[in-house]
Amino acid sequence: HVQLVESGGGSVRAGGSLRLSCSTSGFTHCRSEMGWHRQAPGKKRELAAMIDYDGTPFYKRSVDGRFIISIDSAKNTVYLQMNSLQVDDTATYYCLRTHFRDEYGGTCGPREDVWGQGTQVTVS
């Protein structure tokens, strides 16, 4: 059973910063990708930032250069440092753990994606 625990959301002024954390438990011996998708009211959920097992990040273009994703494998925790926040960054941010596999690329852990419950980020 995989669980994700999110923290760090809140309200911030435009230009400010927040750091989101997402800690996972369960099947920690399996490799996976972790990161954040976000959903603003009336919009589809979209990728914000992801990071794979070896630390390679991927960012939505609109946040690239402002957001930094990192992972602490020992703590099974992924972080999203959000700088220079803009009003358009306002959304519910959902932690995601996906693409579970073993070190050889084989089956490991759950077959489905695992989502957190979401944490609200409001920029004003």
Side-chain angles (χ1 to χ4, degrees):
H1 182 65
V2 175
Q3 291 184 306
L4 301 175
V5 179
E6 301 158 320
S7 63
S11 298
V12 66
R13 300 293 186 186
S17 298
L18 287 172
R19 189 177 77 156
L20 306 183
S21 299
C22 178
S23 296
T24 186
S25 60
F27 294 101
T28 54
H29 62 287
C30 301
R31 298 183 177 186
S32 61
E33 298 176 20
M34 292 186 66
W36 302 86
H37 286 219
R38 66 186 188 180
Q39 187 168 21
K43 295 186 177 181
K44 295 181 178 179
R45 191 175 298 186
E46 64 180 13
L47 181 148
M50 297 292 293
I51 190 165
D52 68 10
Y53 179 81
D54 67 4
T56 302
F58 183 81
Y59 301 98
K60 176 179 172 64
R61 186 172 182 176
S62 63
V63 311
D64 197 4
R66 299 187 297 117
F67 292 9
I68 305 97
I69 190 167
S70 61
I71 190 165
D72 186 336
S73 296
K75 295 182 178 180
N76 300 308
T77 300
V78 64
Y79 305 94
L80 185 65
Q81 179 68 44
M82 303 184 293
N83 299 318
S84 301
L85 282 162
Q86 303 168 359
V87 173
D88 287 347
D89 295 318
T90 296
T92 301
Y93 284 70
Y94 297 90
C95 186
L96 169 66
R97 189 177 174 195
T98 187
H99 195 196
F100 295 84
R101 75 279 192 190
D102 64 21
E103 62 267 41
Y104 306 107
T107 300
C108 188
R111 298 178 65 184
E112 69 277 7
D113 296 341
V114 181
W115 293 90
Q117 295 301 305
T119 185
Q120 180 66 36
V121 172
T122 301
V123 185
S124 62

